[in-house]
Amino acid sequence: MRQADVIVLGGGAAGLMCALTAGQAGADVVVIDHAKKLGTKILIAGGGRCNFTNLEVAPERFICANPHFPKSALSRYTQWDFIDLVQRHGVPYHEKKLGQLFCDDTAQRILDLLLAECAAGGVDFITGEAVTAVEGGERFRVATEQHHVAAPRLVIATGAPSVPKTGATGFAYDLARQFGLGIVEPRPGLVPLRLAEDTRPLAKSLSGVAVPSEARSERMAFHENVLFTHRGVSGPAVLQASSYWRPGEPLTLDLLPDVGDPDHLVARKRARPRAELKTVLGEVLPNRMAERLCDHLLGNARLGQLKDKELRRTLARLKQWTLTPEATEGYAKAEVTVGGIATDELNQRTMEAHKVPGLHVIGEAVDVTGWLGGYNFQWAWSSGWAAGHAA
Ligand code: FDA
């Protein structure tokens, strides 16, 4: 039986940050991961360039049953702390848009810096072996296929089930049940939405078209691109709204967020009475979209043939196009999982379970989910640091 100070289950973003923090503070740390390769999600994130944090991190940009919970960790290990680490390792990066920071070359640079920091902290790794048993008591004991490790502290950092082909599992929830911790029902987030049968032909005809829009679920609105797919809608605005969307609820798109005047089409009629509706809509929407919307939804005519009232109604329809998503595209396509181990079970400074001293939960396993744009990695760094610091 290998004796250690801290066992970290899961060597992803949060687990590595926790391990390097505890290790550099002098703790004897063992990271256990069933995957042979650590940090798979870091490597595939941001199209291989890892959107590792965001300049505009704020607690309001995280979804959590207790919106105050993430504040402590986010304020004690901030985006500036992680940027400082990235700079110390000489990793070149840039802001793409909306405060999103990406590596200039490859995400491997982020994984390499975490592993180098773990090495500096003397962290040990057991990888490529399934965990066969976890037991509590005075010391936590973890068995893998070939190893037994015991420690007074155990950190659950096994993430959440989004994109199972990366090795993602719901193991954290199994452990939560074993130790009697509550769970906020998990669901896919940052995920494309599949439309109901009646609107699918229109979506299919628009497949590949992206248009700046506002996507609004019942709780939040996002102004960014909406992308039509052969089964529904995606793109950053929809992915963001999807984390707030619940089955059965509508999703409303404003396809003309920059057209504020309700008489816009009426004014165009005065200027171009012989122009067709689809031509005039092509001034403010991609041409293919203007055509397909006229074919499937609005009808087409010369503006001069349409009453002012009809033109106002047409504009209002485009500014408030209500869709009824049938479902999300599920965990296979979800960048994150919303929900997870309930935050009222955890101390917000240390991420330690109130009822199981020595047990900590960090990263995506916790019921804290960030917006698209580097927020989820920042949560992994901040919560990982908080637990590592405490351990
Ligand atoms: P993470 O999933 O990183 O790590 C969990 C670790 O636990 C893995 O190494 C896994 O192998 C291991 N594990 C799982 N089950 C186990 C078991 N039973 N036994 C042992 N080990 C087990 N976020 C962001 O901020 N910017 C971005 O650009 C992106 N891009 C992105 C792209 C894609 C395709 C996905 C799927 C996700 C993103 N994300 C993202 C989200 C981000 O990747 C995610 O929030 C963090 O990786 C979560 O960090 P964790 O350490 O909590 O889990």
Side-chain angles (χ1 to χ4, degrees), residues 1 17 31 43 48 60 63 67 138 151 165-166 173 179 196-197 215 223 229 241 255 272 284 293 296 324 359 374 376:
M1 176 83 70
M17 177 53 87
V31 174
L43 295 179
E60 308 75 66
I63 304 166
E138 235 166 68
K165 70 174 185 211
T166 62
Y173 311 145
F179 287 105
E197 204 71 54
H223 187 158
T229 69
L255 296 175
R272 300 183 64 190
V284 282
L293 285 171
H296 290 264
T324 332
L359 180 70
N376 286 293

Side-chain angles (χ1 to χ4, degrees), residues 48-261:
R49 293 226 162 107
C50 188
N51 177 193
F52 55 81
T53 192
N54 194 294
L55 297 174
E56 285 157 32
V57 169
E60 308 75 66
R61 296 178 173 201
F62 293 80
I63 304 166
C64 176
N66 172 4
H68 300 293
F69 182 86
K71 287 182 182 169
S72 172
L74 290 172
S75 68
R76 288 166 66 228
Y77 190 89
T78 68
Q79 67 272 41
W80 311 113
D81 293 311
F82 195 76
I83 292 166
D84 183 51
L85 183 63
V86 167
Q87 287 174 345
R88 273 192 276 126
H89 282 258
V91 177
Y93 65 91
H94 61 278
E95 180 186 350
K96 196 165 170 189
K97 58 173 181 176
L98 305 171
Q100 301 166 5
L101 300 190
F102 285 76
C103 295
D104 285 354
D105 41 22
T106 119
Q108 184 71 46
R109 300 291 296 266
I110 299 295
L111 182 56
D112 288 348
L113 85 76
L114 294 167
L115 294 175
E117 293 284 332
C118 282
V123 175
D124 266 357
F125 292 94
I126 297 172
T127 57
E129 286 180 35
V131 174
T132 52
V134 177
E135 286 169 32
E138 235 166 68
R139 290 173 84 78
F140 294 92
R141 287 184 303 281
V142 177
T144 67
E145 285 155 346
Q146 296 177 36
H147 294 82
H148 287 83
V149 189
R153 292 198 181 269
L154 176 69
V155 182
I156 301 176
T158 51
S162 319
V163 191
K165 70 174 185 211
T166 62
T169 67
F171 187 52
Y173 311 145
D174 299 340
L175 292 174
R177 283 182 208 101
Q178 177 182 333
F179 287 105
L181 307 183
I183 295 171
V184 174
E185 185 63 22
R187 59 178 204 277
L190 299 180
V191 62
L193 296 173
R194 205 163 65 217
L195 293 176
E197 204 71 54
D198 56 339
T199 25
R200 235 185 266 168
L202 173 54
K204 198 170 173 188
S205 78
L206 291 171
S207 178
V209 174
V211 60
S213 307
E214 187 181 86
R216 208 173 312 130
S217 71
E218 287 191 1
R219 285 161 210 87
M220 197 60 94
F222 292 93
H223 187 158
E224 268 222 63
N225 270 355
V226 167
L227 171 71
F228 288 83
T229 69
H230 64 291
R231 301 207 310 177
V233 278
S234 183
V238 170
L239 295 179
Q240 296 274 36
S242 76
S243 295
Y244 291 87
W245 179 82
R246 302 294 179 102
E249 292 178 359
L251 177 83
T252 306
L253 299 184
D254 177 353
L255 296 175
L256 301 171
D258 298 326
V259 176
D261 178 6

Side-chain angles (χ1 to χ4, degrees), residues 9-15 32-35 37-42 44-47 50-53 102 129-131 157-160 162-163 166-171 334-336 362-365 371 373-378 380:
L9 281 180
I32 301 177
D33 201 298
H34 68 166
K37 275 181 73 177
L38 298 171
T40 305
K41 282 192 183 170
I42 297 173
I44 60 170
C50 188
N51 177 193
F52 55 81
T53 192
F102 285 76
E129 286 180 35
V131 174
T158 51
S162 319
V163 191
T166 62
T169 67
F171 187 52
E335 203 165 289
V336 289
I362 57 174
E364 210 180 316
W371 283 8
Y375 295 91
N376 286 293
F377 278 132
Q378 187 57 44

Side-chain angles (χ1 to χ4, degrees), residues 353-365:
H354 300 301
K355 40 173 117 119
V356 191
L359 180 70
H360 302 249
V361 191
I362 57 174
E364 210 180 316

